[in-house]
Amino acid sequence: MRYAMVIDTKKCVGCSDCVVACQNENRVPIGYCRDWVIENAKGTFPNVSIELRSERCNHCENSPCVRCCPTGASHYEEGGVVKVTRHECIGCGACVQSCPYDARYSHPDGFVDKCTFCHHRLQEGKLPSCVSVCPTECMYFGDLDDKESKVYQLLQNRDWKVLAPEVGTKPHVYYLI
Amino acid sequence: MNKSRREFIKLSAIGAGGLVLANPLLNAMIGQVNAAEPMDASKIKRFPTYCEVCFWKCAGWVYTDEKGEIWKIEGNEDDPHSNGRFCPRGTGGIGMYNDPDRLKTPLMRVEENGKQTFKEVSWDKAFRFIAEKMNKIKEESGPESLALFKHGSGGAHFGKLFKAFGSKNITAPSYAQCRGPREVGFNTTFGSNINSPEPVDLENTKCLVLIGNHIGENMHNSHVQEMSKAIDRGATIITVDPRLSTAASKSKYWLPIKPATDIALLLAWMNVIVSEELYDKNYIGQYAYGLEDLQAHVADKTPEWAEKITTISADVIRQTAREMAFHAPATLIHPGRHVTWYGDDTQRLRAMAMLNALLGSWGRKGGFYFPEKAKVPTYPHPGYPPVNWTWKDHLDGTYALADSSIANVFVDMSHPENESDYKIKGWFVVGTNLISTIPNTQRTLEAIQNLDLLVVVDTMPMEITGYADIILPECTYLERYDDMRVSPNRFPNVAVRVPAVKPKYLSKPSDWIVRKLAKKLKLSKHFNYESYSEVIDWQLKQMGSSLAEMKEKGVLKMERKTPMFIEEGDYHEFGTSTGMIELYSLDLEMEGFDPIPNYTPHPEPPQGFYRLNYGRAPMHTFGRTANNPNLNELMSENCLWVNPFVAADNNLENGQEVWLKNQDGVVSDFPIKVRITERIGKDNVYMVHGFGRANKKLKRSFGRGISDTQLVTNVMVDPIMGGTGMRGNFVSFVTDKPESEVIS
């Protein structure tokens, strides 16, 4: 099983609902966030286009954060979810520095925090909160090893990209373009 | 990846590489539990509600945690407004409850040491003061001299109090400052209003046409959802907007029109559809009146004619008109919502209605559906006393086609210059910040100075609260019962609101405030219940349900009784004078207006000035969310969109703070940061409405960004229905801090 998130930039309106839903669901303190939204504009008026995309931890197959963690707090869960075990984390911040996506932050309670793909919800058979709240349904979540899954199908049938492929992290968040 | 997320922020959130929309700045921590370990699931409770952060009123569930505090708010899957998915504002509604800047106690204006200030008073003292003033106005000028301005659920309770007291002078800025022209434009064409939510069949549309309507930035939940599905289906989207809105960026055709020329484009579209005989002949033949008049009217309104006016090429006008006709009747020209732009708005909206008519989309799948609304019985109460006059007497036949009261007319009736016999002496303002909603603030303030009583009811301090004699703190929607949500939709339905938590501080629900005040006014017989839950339960029981059942369901769906669409060839009577779709409007002709819309040129910005356009951001509702801790974090101020050429001409840099000065010399209270972007043309600038809050008690939002309303001093009143056109104001940049900064 390989969990992946597929985000359709053609449908995202950049509303940032994913950010608020995640903050509530995961009790992320105000002032911090596990996901965020980027807008990129290209061209000159009136030949302009924009891309909107929701970003977060890429749950990389080859995660620099897991590799550099001195205590083993950063680890892989089943399906490739990258998680931090809070009581094992000493808050050294090495993982924060190592992440090419700047997806981790130091929580005021002394540990490092980031997106877990809402691992607690996955265990209950629910989708990550960002996916389930998105008004445009531009976010998909599933198992890339399952050829029937929507995420697999979308990646077969649509053009896509990942962020910073050159750093070789093998990210598991894909953007339909 | 050579830039990190935090470096983007250092570029003032408007860097060359990308714009961070969700802003993870390290603000103060506010009312938020710490992350701790997972919660004890057995202690989690949920309560049904419908959202009050905007007017879409999505039904959802409020979850409380082991401590009984609000944890999160999610959509109700049975609700046609949300389909189980709340928008960012609804999800962030929790911030309305947690905001430490909330109004906490009743406050009364007093004079201490020669200086006016607000003093905390008990509810009882507040009620005695208000009742005494109300009775005095009633004795001196009659109860009709009290007016209610309202928005949202709280206002409904006050409406009942006003009727019991003897005044029907009740209004809401949501009509003449927002959607009024489309109601009249569609009513004069189809004999039906649009209302809310708009009965557009986006679910099935094959071609969606948006005219200045930025779905996705206006977060009208179910419409955003359905537009996204339309994108998935490969539907054609045609967006007319001088700015590359989010919707424009998703469109097959973006028509970057010269502002204020939309009617010319609409007439040219009709020219193509009529002259190429692309209209729905059976539908028009059976249901429409005035085709020949329309044919003659648009004969010379060719795409070439419109190109010179709109800057949109004749080829594109033809191509888009043909594409609309190709998908008809599943082509939808969306009526939009905030449509008070240039003073000829009813005519623009009528042209849109007529284009829908030609395409046969009214009452057709993929166009407009016929909504149905649940019938909810009225809780028994004694009859209201008759009134001697209303706002209509003051108007004496002017704006006769307006089907709702006109908030700016209430300001006129309260103004010292009002020479009619119908004078307003006291205001209740419930849940609407009139300083930001009604343009020409100076005139509103002059009216306020002329009042004997100004009561403001709100959850938050706003600009209007600063002018109140007495401020009453309403609790948020998460802490109260209210009337059920009954809105027209594809299927009749009702949704309930049940408190998830007790009211914070000394705040109270509007129904409680009204009941207690009614007691002081000796009007208790009209409010014969102890809790509003009794009213809802009684109503639900008449409908075969109960409050207990609804606490488990949240939303009650009912069967339709009439067809949702007109079947091909069916007899159908429209609500117009002729009973037909009026391409030629007899009502407009009778009132002395153009029976078919005409394009009239509007003033253009003088040298060195740019047209001020404004709109919405998906994470905010008007100015009411600017201080919401969760939503402020996503967008804490507005910025000014400026084309790179305009920036170069004025030596502006990205992120630079500028003040704006309008054509009448009004300078903004606060500065705004420049965002240089290719998404906007050279003749206008753009900002999101709702910022530049001037009440210092709003700690997070005070002085952040600019209030567009402050710069709207040229108001173009729609002669048909009294709406206030606000997009004819022009601004120039002031780069040095103005000397006299007026901050209240």
Side-chain angles (χ1 to χ4, degrees), chain A residues 89-165:
Chain A
C89 175
I90 54 171
C92 72
C95 55
V96 177
Q97 295 301 319
S98 78
C99 175
Y101 306 103
D102 207 3
R104 293 174 164 239
Y105 71 93
S106 293
H107 192 285
D109 288 356
F111 54 86
V112 168
D113 193 39
K114 65 169 207 61
C115 164
T116 63
F117 273 163
C118 280
H119 193 244
H120 63 290
R121 287 173 63 100
L122 300 181
Q123 287 169 325
E124 294 170 20
K126 293 179 183 164
L127 290 167
S129 67
C130 55
V131 175
S132 71
V133 80
C134 177
T136 66
E137 296 188 50
C138 76
M139 299 159 103
Y140 304 87
F141 186 83
D143 177 10
L144 282 184
D145 286 338
D146 173 6
K147 292 191 175 172
E148 301 297 311
S149 71
K150 185 85 181 168
V151 285
Y152 179 86
Q153 300 279 338
L154 284 166
L155 295 184
Q156 288 296 306
N157 298 325
R158 292 272 304 268
D159 290 338
W160 53 265
K161 67 176 181 186
V162 292
L163 298 180

Side-chain angles (χ1 to χ4, degrees), chain B residues 333-466:
Chain B
I333 292 93
H334 194 297
R337 191 146 184 138
H338 175 81
V339 292
T340 43
W341 301 352
Y342 308 115
D344 54 1
D345 305 302
T346 302
Q347 292 288 14
R348 184 182 69 254
L349 270 292
R350 201 173 120 68
M352 288 160 68
M354 290 162 63
L355 185 57
N356 276 305
L358 290 176
L359 297 164
S361 65
W362 183 263
R364 303 286 284 282
K365 199 171 173 184
F368 291 78
Y369 63 84
F370 296 128
E372 272 194 21
K373 196 171 166 176
K375 287 194 176 60
V376 177
T378 308
Y379 189 72
H381 64 85
Y384 295 127
V387 299
N388 291 315
W389 60 272
T390 70
W391 57 280
K392 285 188 180 169
D393 295 288
H394 170 81
L395 283 174
D396 194 22
T398 312
Y399 311 138
L401 295 174
D403 60 314
S404 189
S405 59
I406 302 163
N408 39 307
V409 167
F410 280 52
V411 173
D412 294 342
M413 289 160 73
S414 315
H415 197 272
E417 285 166 9
N418 175 19
E419 288 179 354
S420 85
D421 295 337
Y422 308 103
K423 295 192 193 329
I424 299 280
K425 298 284 188 185
W427 290 3
F428 271 59
V429 180
V430 182
T432 172
N433 183 21
L434 296 185
I435 306 299
S436 283
T437 54
I438 300 183
N440 200 345
T441 312
Q442 190 54 37
R443 192 170 167 80
T444 309
L445 293 178
E446 286 161 10
I448 286 174
Q449 296 306 332
N450 200 36
L451 296 174
D452 294 339
L453 174 66
L454 174 52
V455 181
V456 176
V457 185
D458 214 315
T459 64
M460 293 295 297
M462 287 286 173
E463 284 72 35
I464 187 72
T465 51

